[in-house]
Amino acid sequence: VQIPMRYTLLIFALSLCTAFTQEVVKEGLLDPITITATRFNELISDVPYSVDLIEDRDILEDMPRGFPSVFASNPGVQVQKTANGKGSPFIRGFTGFRNLLLIDGIRLNHAAFREGPNQYWGTVDPLIASRIELIKGQGSVLYGSDAIGGTVNVITKDSSPLSYEENRSFVEGQIMYRGSTAERSHTGRIEGLVGIGQKTGVLMGYTDRSIGNIRASGIGELPFTGYSEHGMDLRIDHYFQENVHGIFSFQKFEQNNLWRVHKTIYSKSWEGTSIGNELRRSGDQSRTLAYAQIKAEDLEGPFQRIHANLSWHNHEESRLRIKTNQKTDFQGFDLDSFGSWIQMESDTALGKITYGTSYYQDRADTFRSDLDKDGNVIRKRIQGPFGDDSTYEQLGFFVQDIIELNDRFDLNIGSRYTHIDANIGRYENPQTGLQDQLNNDWDNLSNSLRGIYKKNEKLNIYAGLSQGFRAPNFSDLSRLDSARSNEIETPSPDLNPEKFLSYEIGSSFDDEKLEFGISAFYTDIRDMIVRTPTGRLIEDEYEVIKKNGSEGYIYGLELNTSYHINDRLNVFGALAFNDGMVDTYPDSSLLTRSEPVSRLLPVTTNLGFRYDLSDSQWIELSSIISDRQDTLNTRDRSDTQRIPPGGTPGYAIFNFRYGLQLNEQTLLTASIENITDQEYRVHGSGQNEPGLNFIFGASLKF
């Protein structure tokens, strides 16, 4: 079904008009806190950014089937799925390594992240989060390379020993379950909490998830879309003093047997999409993170707050591919990332200054072996998906000053210097086919200037501009692997950093009855790295390399509103869209052409209401309405395995949820998703989404 844009806008306008015709009064509503926007705790109403918070209660009620799905109901975020279990959010027109993912402030982006939608966000378990913070268009001042579209920080659950009486031991636990019909999936999690009040707490958890094949409306069961994953986590919180807090955390998460079905003969055509030509393309990946942090607050002397971190992050990935001619290869990588940073805050006559330094070093080994039909190695290649025996170092220094010009206006000024060194020990030279090596280094200075005007406790207006950059990584410089439909990407050693400048103006209103937010942004693009066809054919696929020099822009609008009609009924609505143009190399002539940005977010709205039947029961009816996306560039049109000819059809999805809080310990939820059994696909995805889907969730504390 195609949803005309004029009807979408009309529905949204009516919802806003309904909200604004009511009288609103505020009486002591607590303002949420964000960490990510300034690296220390700040009220959302005090930060000059567009901020989305997803609390653990939201996750518990929705019970998403994976981490990327957490953002599915956010109309400003398009969650593309190359394959089931491989979701990649598009934020303000950017995805993959142009969005930055953090866990407790630690970079999960590493030098192996590849171009476009990738599977790496799928290695985060949403059930370990106490909340998830999304700061859009933040730029590179606080966190360095990659933070272009948005910065997402997963704040993990702590063991909260300060919540208990001093020296009193405590033992608690929680069991969670999610089951669904359209995926025949089951998710289970168990948590245990022990400790001594005001001193030490230990939180342990284990999650196991089994996802079956998707049953999509109209085309039936999608073969090989099922997979399994599991993870464990441990967090220890110890308070040396009330204001000095030490943390140790260990997390491990594994995904097994994830197929990229659209590349294979088992994919199903929908709206004219083409079928792949491989017999198998499946993979496994695992991620391990261990870190130690110390936080000190309310200090006397030159530093009021200090937060320091040491971390080790390991990521392993493998992939098996069998072509129709029985040619088989097995490839992967093993990457270790060592990180350290320290940040400090000082209250001075010049304002509240946050400053610090960070250092990350990535070390990666890669492999690829060609196999015969019996699985025996017939040839070992020079490299795997990117160059072997490689290192990548990032050193940065940052400072940010929040100046209170008067009681209503704050100015936020920041700057960051970054030095990056990339060393590829072995890669296959695309011209000679022989082993080669490279070493590149780059320097960057990024700045930010933002201001916020607080009219009163209810209303603020903010504006600003932020510079961002993304340095070439292992994948940019030395990738030798398939890309989009019928493409293979080969090494491109002569690249420079991409540069971005984001302008934004927005406002938020927060009252006891009404919440409203609006943000308009424009991102200027310089020297973006884009894939470029060479005209050569390699292993039955068309070669593409990467080149700098692409210039362009992306702009968009995001609105959201929520209105409490009475103590029990709340209605909400949101709208977002992106548009933009960028230089591309559509063919091997090496001549650029200005074309639409790839996989743009169409006009998307979210409308619904929530009604509390009693203090312990609630129902919610929500909808996601997306317009047809037929604004395509040359490579979008050629990506026929994922994007139907002429573009991705629009759709309207309706969901119903019911919740019952039996007591303080027990929560039961039941949902019906895609009530009308709509055939649909999120733009740019390699598969359709589930049809009519019944979901049951339960949480029991003990």
Side-chain angles (χ1 to χ4, degrees):
V1 64
Q2 181 173 347
I3 311 299
M5 186 183 299
R6 59 183 180 276
Y7 295 144
T8 305
L9 294 172
L10 178 60
I11 293 171
F12 184 78
L14 288 174
S15 71
L16 292 184
C17 291
T18 301
F20 277 113
T21 55
Q22 308 294 326
E23 181 180 359
V24 291
V25 180
K26 178 169 181 172
E27 295 179 359
L29 191 65
L30 293 177
D31 193 6
I33 290 174
T34 176
I35 294 173
T36 312
T38 61
R39 295 189 74 119
F40 282 111
N41 292 347
E42 294 290 343
L43 299 177
I44 283 184
S45 58
D46 289 342
V47 299
Y49 294 97
S50 175
V51 178
D52 290 318
L53 293 186
I54 302 169
E55 304 287 349
D56 58 346
R57 178 71 183 199
D58 302 323
I59 297 171
L60 196 60
E61 290 182 359
D62 292 346
M63 289 295 281
R65 70 177 186 260
F67 178 70
S69 298
V70 166
F71 305 96
S73 60
N74 187 322
V77 180
Q78 179 175 258
V79 183
Q80 186 268 10
K81 294 185 178 70
T82 296
N84 206 19
K86 297 184 177 182
S88 183
F90 277 74
I91 305 170
R92 294 194 168 177
F94 299 102
T95 194
F97 52 31
R98 294 186 181 98
N99 294 319
L100 179 62
L101 177 58
L102 311 168
I103 288 188
D104 292 329
I106 301 163
R107 294 177 63 98
L108 262 72
N109 286 42
H110 53 64
F113 270 40
R114 59 181 175 81
E115 169 81 5
N118 58 53
Q119 62 268 38
Y120 305 127
W121 286 38
T123 62
V124 177
D125 181 5
L127 298 180
I128 70 173
S130 65
R131 73 178 183 276
I132 299 169
E133 301 179 357
L134 166 58
I135 314 298
K136 297 175 181 175
Q138 184 171 26
S140 296
V141 165
L142 291 182
Y143 298 100
S145 179
D146 305 358
I148 310 304
T151 302
V152 173
N153 196 2
V154 180
I155 312 299
T156 61
K157 297 175 183 177
D158 62 37
S159 54
S160 305
L162 293 185
S163 302
Y164 298 89
E165 192 175 312
E166 187 174 4
N167 295 324
R168 178 184 175 183
S169 62
F170 57 88
V171 179
E172 294 184 5
Q174 187 174 12
I175 297 174
M176 289 166 270
Y177 172 79
R178 174 194 188 269
S180 72
T181 60
E183 313 142 352
R184 287 172 287 183
S185 71
H186 302 277
T187 297
R189 177 171 172 83
I190 183 168
E191 292 179 355
L193 178 64
V194 297
I196 300 173
Q198 305 293 308
K199 294 292 184 181
T200 305
V202 180
L203 175 68
M204 298 165 286
Y206 177 79
T207 300
D208 190 83
R209 184 175 289 111
S210 173
I211 306 291
N213 289 340
I214 289 175
R215 285 185 287 181
S217 176
I219 56 177
E221 182 174 322
L222 306 181
F224 301 108
T225 52
Y227 64 97
S228 64
E229 59 187 21
H230 60 271
M232 64 160 292
D233 51 279
L234 167 71
R235 174 162 167 160
I236 302 172
D237 294 89
H238 178 74
Y239 283 82
F240 301 96
Q241 302 175 31
E242 186 177 355
N243 65 332
V244 181
H245 176 197
I247 304 168
F248 172 78
S249 180
F250 177 85
Q251 304 163 16
K252 187 173 182 63
F253 197 82
E254 296 183 351
Q255 291 185 306
N256 301 304
N257 201 33
L258 278 76
W259 279 59
R260 192 170 175 178
V261 182
H262 77 87
K263 284 279 191 179
T264 73
I265 61 174
Y266 302 105
S267 62
K268 290 191 174 182
S269 179
W270 180 73
E271 296 288 328
T273 57
S274 59
I275 305 297
N277 58 6
E278 297 177 0
L279 297 179
R280 177 168 183 162
R281 181 180 291 221
S282 62
D284 304 328
Q285 63 173 340
S286 68
R287 183 186 58 80
T288 305
L289 174 65
Y291 71 82
Q293 296 184 359
I294 189 164
K295 299 180 181 179
E297 300 182 329
D298 301 322
L299 301 175
E300 296 181 357
F303 311 120
Q304 279 66 63
R305 294 176 181 173
I306 299 175
H307 189 180
N309 170 85
L310 289 173
S311 62
W312 166 69
H313 171 208
N314 173 262
H315 194 150
E316 297 182 29
E317 179 184 77
S318 62
R319 187 206 71 189
L320 176 65
R321 177 175 62 171
I322 305 176
K323 296 185 176 183
T324 50
N325 58 9
Q326 294 297 323
K327 285 186 177 180
T328 303
D329 65 78
F330 182 66
Q331 68 171 34
F333 67 81
D334 183 353
L335 180 145
D336 291 299
S337 180
F338 302 93
S340 62
W341 46 257
I342 184 170
Q343 61 188 54
M344 295 158 284
E345 183 178 297
S346 300
D347 293 326
T348 72
L350 299 176
K352 184 165 63 176
I353 302 178
T354 303
Y355 47 99
T357 183
S358 64
Y359 174 77
Y360 287 88
Q361 182 189 80
D362 298 345
R363 292 182 171 271
D365 294 317
T366 72
F367 64 89
R368 176 179 170 181
S369 297
D370 295 337
L371 312 177
D372 63 22
K373 62 180 181 179
D374 297 320
N376 300 309
V377 176
I378 57 177
R379 180 172 61 152
K380 288 188 176 181
R381 307 292 284 264
I382 294 172
Q383 66 171 85
F386 56 87
D388 186 28
D389 190 21
S390 300
T391 60
Y392 195 85
E393 297 177 273
Q394 299 186 62
L395 174 65
F397 302 90
F398 65 89
V399 60
Q400 176 180 255
D401 190 8
I402 301 175
I403 305 170
E404 185 177 328
L405 297 179
N406 55 48
D407 291 340
R408 294 188 176 183
F409 186 70
D410 291 348
L411 192 63
N412 187 318
I413 304 172
S415 185
R416 181 187 188 95
Y417 165 76
T418 304
H419 175 78
I420 294 180
D421 193 298
N423 181 20
I424 309 295
R426 278 191 303 275
Y427 77 95
E428 184 176 318
N429 188 301
Q431 303 301 321
T432 66
L434 301 177
Q435 178 177 311
D436 209 339
Q437 64 178 3
L438 69 90
N439 182 271
N440 286 339
D441 63 272
W442 308 277
D443 296 282
N444 176 265
L445 183 66
S446 293
N447 303 288
S448 177
L449 175 63
R450 288 178 173 262
I452 183 167
Y453 174 73
K454 292 169 278 190
K455 172 71 174 176
N456 48 46
E457 293 183 353
K458 304 175 185 179
L459 176 66
N460 69 44
I461 301 170
Y462 60 89
L465 62 159
S466 298
Q467 290 180 313
F469 82 102
R470 191 191 69 82
N473 65 8
F474 293 156
S475 181
D476 292 303
L477 297 167
S478 61
R479 184 171 174 81
L480 182 60
D481 197 9
S482 60
R484 287 196 180 190
S485 303
N486 304 314
E487 289 182 348
I488 183 169
E489 184 179 330
T490 59
S492 306
D494 299 318
L495 296 174
N496 291 308
E498 305 173 327
K499 298 176 183 178
F500 306 86
L501 179 60
S502 293
Y503 305 82
E504 182 176 11
I505 184 169
S507 177
S508 65
F509 182 90
D510 188 355
D511 198 277
E512 183 181 358
K513 288 184 176 290
L514 174 68
E515 295 178 18
F516 175 76
I518 181 171
S519 176
F521 70 91
Y522 178 97
T523 301
D524 185 68
I525 301 168
R526 292 288 180 269
D527 292 327
M528 192 161 79
I529 298 169
V530 293
R531 288 172 174 152
T532 306
T534 66
R536 291 202 306 163
L537 196 65
I538 300 176
E539 298 180 354
D540 301 321
E541 294 181 305
Y542 293 100
E543 183 189 40
V544 293
I545 59 172
K546 285 186 171 179
K547 291 179 64 69
N548 280 106
S550 180
E551 300 186 357
Y553 60 87
I554 297 176
Y555 68 90
L557 180 69
E558 300 162 352
L559 304 97
N560 63 82
T561 184
S562 173
Y563 180 68
H564 294 267
I565 294 176
N566 54 45
D567 291 340
R568 295 192 180 276
L569 180 60
N570 176 40
V571 296
F572 54 84
L575 177 145
F577 78 91
N578 298 162
D579 200 358
M581 302 288 287
V582 69
D583 294 339
T584 66
Y585 297 87
D587 53 47
S588 58
S589 67
L590 300 184
L591 298 176
T592 61
R593 179 191 305 167
S594 183
E595 294 190 306
V597 172
S598 179
R599 289 170 286 204
L600 284 167
L601 172 73
V603 177
T604 304
T605 67
N606 183 329
L607 300 170
F609 71 86
R610 177 170 173 140
Y611 183 70
D612 294 327
L613 300 172
S614 66
D615 291 340
S616 60
Q617 298 183 75
W618 53 266
I619 59 172
E620 179 180 293
L621 181 65
S622 63
S623 65
I624 300 175
I625 305 171
S626 180
D627 196 18
R628 178 181 181 85
Q629 183 52 282
D630 52 12
T631 303
L632 310 175
N633 63 25
T634 299
R635 299 192 69 246
D636 286 341
R637 290 192 294 271
S638 65
D639 194 6
T640 55
Q641 293 175 0
R642 290 189 278 198
I643 300 176
T648 305
Y651 54 84
I653 305 302
F654 299 92
N655 305 313
F656 174 81
R657 290 186 172 88
Y658 168 77
L660 172 61
Q661 188 79 53
L662 282 176
N663 49 49
E664 290 186 4
Q665 289 76 37
T666 308
L667 171 66
L668 302 177
T669 60
S671 306
I672 307 174
E673 293 187 346
N674 196 0
I675 295 172
T676 59
D677 201 26
Q678 171 77 65
E679 291 184 47
Y680 79 104
R681 172 179 297 196
V682 176
H683 182 53
S685 295
Q687 64 181 45
N688 284 25
E689 291 298 304
L692 178 65
N693 195 10
F694 296 90
I695 300 173
F696 172 76
S699 171
L700 173 64
K701 295 182 179 180
F702 56 89

